[in-house]
Amino acid sequence: MTNSSTHDNSAIDALPSVAQIVSSLDMRARKSLGQNFLFDLNLTRRIARNAAAQLTGTTIEVGPGPGGLTRALLLEGADRVVAVEKDFRAATVLESLLHAAQGRLELIEGDAMKTPLWEIGTAPRRIVANLPYNIATTLLIQWLEHASAFETMTLMFQREVAERITAQPGDSAYGRLSILTGWIADSTILFDIPPEAFVPAPKIVSSVVQIRPLEKPRFECDQKALENVTRLAFGQRRKMLRASLKPLGGADLLESADIDPQCRPQDLDIEAFCRLARMMAL
Ligand code: SAM
């Protein structure tokens, strides 16, 4: 048995390396699917260990690709991994892992954007993913709308996006993603991953971010209203809010929420944005 797991992982340990499987099947990375693969099992196991102290319940992986992170999750003791992948080639490349996992791994062939991850399996649920960068923030916002379904989300982003997610008011990266995440979750950057760890190597550094949903949002407001007001406010970051929020009532809306209409979006904390969202609903 492999150290941290109560499962018998000998069949997984006996598999050829992920790099060998990919090379034997000639699975080339596709840019259109945001494919940058991780082959280093030490690194993927580090990500899996950080995902949860115990991988009980359902571990949902988006975009398993050739399965480097999937394999790590199983080796680190995940009871059940459900992997959602859009690339139809994954079924072939994951075949030996599916077999070796002896029922602990399920592959859903489909688009994660159209898959309600919050309904998959039983709680506790967590998402662990090396996300395709082109759709990473859209997916995050969708999952935040169902945050209470997840114990944690341990996700890889470009470093610059990770900084935006975890930023606090006053930080230069503070913006819409910081507010939508901070309203309903704690988040932290766990560690960086250099470009050379990926095949092919991207141009930028990546970061693993852990998002831990709260039992309830920090401040009362409608999530969709918060999404809308932050979209408009940060769509024109340099403008005063009275101009960027004109479609929602501009200066009148701001005054009703007791906010100086001359403010720019980065001047407001999460509580102030929630006040605006509440006023919009009136
Ligand atoms: N997890 C693998 C790894 O770490 O080596 C692959 C990560 S790669 C950055 C992103 C993966 O997401 C690819 O396998 C890609 O095919 C998959 N993907 C892209 N768009 C997707 C979508 N809409 N739904 C599900 N998977 C998607």
Side-chain angles (χ1 to χ4, degrees):
M1 287 195 198
T2 314
N3 45 7
S4 47
S5 176
T6 53
H7 300 279
D8 178 1
N9 285 323
S10 47
I12 300 176
D13 283 329
L15 292 173
S17 73
V18 178
Q20 281 168 335
I21 295 177
V22 167
S23 137
S24 69
L25 293 174
D26 198 21
M27 182 185 181
R28 289 178 203 186
R30 291 193 176 151
K31 210 172 174 182
S32 61
L33 285 166
Q35 292 182 335
N36 298 94
F37 301 137
L38 287 172
F39 292 146
D40 178 353
L41 200 55
N42 288 322
L43 178 57
T44 52
R45 288 189 76 153
R46 185 174 173 210
I47 298 166
R49 275 196 302 277
N50 272 282
Q54 285 197 314
L55 294 164
T56 52
T58 312
T59 302
I60 302 163
E61 187 191 359
V62 168
L69 183 54
T70 326
R71 187 183 291 210
L73 290 165
L74 292 162
L75 289 174
E76 289 298 328
D79 286 343
R80 181 169 154 72
V81 177
V82 179
V84 182
E85 174 58 65
K86 194 173 173 185
D87 186 344
F88 66 90
R89 299 175 301 168
T92 309
V93 84
L94 291 175
E95 198 177 328
S96 55
L97 184 61
L98 280 158
H99 193 254
Q102 297 168 347
R104 290 161 60 210
L105 172 62
E106 181 189 339
L107 174 66
I108 296 179
E109 295 178 71
D111 184 343
M113 303 269 270
K114 298 179 188 150
T115 308
L117 300 197
W118 47 94
E119 289 173 3
I120 290 178
T122 51
R125 288 183 196 86
R126 66 199 63 78
I127 309 176
V128 185
N130 170 14
L131 291 174
Y133 289 140
N134 49 344
I135 54 170
T137 57
T138 309
L139 286 172
L140 173 61
I141 292 171
Q142 187 184 106
W143 299 335
L144 286 172
E145 289 173 3
H146 302 272
S148 62
F150 305 109
E151 172 190 71
T152 52
M153 305 180 207
T154 307
L155 309 172
M156 230 168 299
F157 295 95
Q158 305 174 48
R159 171 87 206 181
E160 169 262 324
V161 176
E163 284 170 355
R164 287 200 272 133
I165 293 167
T166 55
Q168 301 297 320
D171 295 347
S172 58
Y174 178 70
R176 183 168 187 252
L177 276 181
S178 338
I179 294 162
L180 296 180
T181 309
W183 175 62
I184 205 163
D186 289 328
S187 65
T188 182
I189 295 180
L190 297 178
F191 52 88
D192 289 340
I193 303 188
E196 54 275 17
F198 297 87
V199 177
K203 292 199 175 70
I204 36 84
V205 171
S206 301
S207 301
V208 178
V209 178
Q210 187 149 76
I211 297 165
R212 196 172 283 277
L214 305 170
E215 270 181 29
K216 62 184 182 64
R218 286 183 211 282
F219 310 102
E220 202 183 305
C221 80
D222 176 72
Q223 196 160 13
K224 283 284 176 200
L226 189 62
E227 287 179 19
N228 289 341
V229 74
T230 50
R231 183 184 301 109
L232 277 177
F234 286 97
Q236 297 173 295
R237 226 187 142 85
R238 284 165 201 277
K239 281 200 173 171
M240 288 181 197
L241 285 168
R242 69 169 182 222
S244 51
L245 296 186
K246 216 167 202 159
L248 300 175
D252 289 344
L253 174 75
L254 288 153
E255 270 159 32
S256 69
D258 208 15
I259 293 167
D260 177 355
Q262 315 254 29
C263 277
R264 290 183 166 75
Q266 57 274 30
D267 300 326
L268 299 192
D269 60 14
I270 298 177
E271 199 270 330
F273 272 105
C274 290
R275 274 204 320 273
L276 277 172
R278 285 200 300 273
M279 288 302 156
M280 279 165 59
L282 294 179

